[in-house]
Amino acid sequence: MTVRLHVWRVRPAAVPRALWGMAADRRRLRRDATFVKLLGTGRGGEFGAGKADLTRWAALIVGDATVTPPMRGVTASCVITLEPVASRGTWAGQAPFVPGRAPQQDGMIAVLTRARLKARKAPAFWKAIDPVSRALPQAEGMICAFGIGEAPVGFQGTVSLWRGAADVVRFAYRQPEHAAVVDRTTREGWYAEELFARFRVLDVTGDRAVIGWRDSP
């Protein structure tokens, strides 16, 4: 199974075209792929309510065929090609990522989280993750990270790339702000649906500045 995450920039004047494409292009892409999600992104490495970047968009496409989104008004783009290593949970009632049988090896790792928030829990969730958003850029081994979303408030997620699996574990379980959110997630039941997936990064092509790539994390 191959997973491709397309991320692209558009001119400010092309934002209406990009918004239209999020609705108009979905059906065509779904005919050619196993699973497709067209996504907005957060500003820079930020994630959270009210932090959308209308000049950066993304498409997550799962399938054996190479399917490219239209990317209306694009000025620069980047494609991250991934192989699932582990996946837990569902996205829109589906389990889109099937891990391969090959054992995980050393090398770059991508992590994708996605959740559908319970409406009455959303304010507490956004407040809790603000410290995590501030701490993430300083995390050891982090190459880039940005928020993704299907709707302004209730559907949210993150994408992050790391130098290796040890860096992911260190941040997830030893970074105080993130560990506190993990603990509260279990106790307070913020999510109506959630998914956590980890991938081996097979390739990164195009303009890496689009995803906020940094050479010296």
Side-chain angles (χ1 to χ4, degrees), residues 48-187:
K51 297 181 180 178
D53 182 349
L54 296 180
T55 68
R56 184 171 66 175
W57 301 86
L60 180 76
I61 301 176
V62 182
D64 295 327
T66 301
V67 180
T68 303
M71 296 187 281
R72 300 164 188 259
V74 64
T75 59
S77 64
C78 183
V79 183
I80 309 169
T81 304
L82 306 165
E83 179 185 9
V85 172
S87 182
R88 171 179 54 82
T90 59
W91 191 336
Q94 300 181 57
F97 310 121
V98 180
R101 295 184 179 181
Q104 183 176 344
Q105 302 172 353
D106 292 338
M108 197 186 309
I109 295 293
V111 174
L112 184 149
T113 67
R114 182 267 176 188
R116 176 163 54 89
L117 298 174
K118 296 177 181 176
R120 61 188 177 87
K121 300 282 188 177
F125 171 82
W126 292 121
K127 183 177 180 180
I129 67 166
D130 190 55
V132 179
S133 177
R134 294 196 301 268
L136 187 57
Q138 285 76 45
E140 183 178 351
M142 199 275 289
I143 296 171
C144 66
F146 52 92
I148 55 172
E150 299 165 80
V153 177
F155 299 81
Q156 65 82 40
T158 61
V159 172
S160 56
L161 270 62
W162 303 79
R163 296 289 179 191
D167 298 313
V168 176
V169 172
R170 185 184 303 111
F171 182 80
Y173 299 106
R174 300 175 191 171
Q175 202 279 337
E177 289 84 358
H178 191 272
V181 168
V182 171
D183 179 63
R184 288 187 64 185
T185 297
T186 302
R187 289 187 288 107

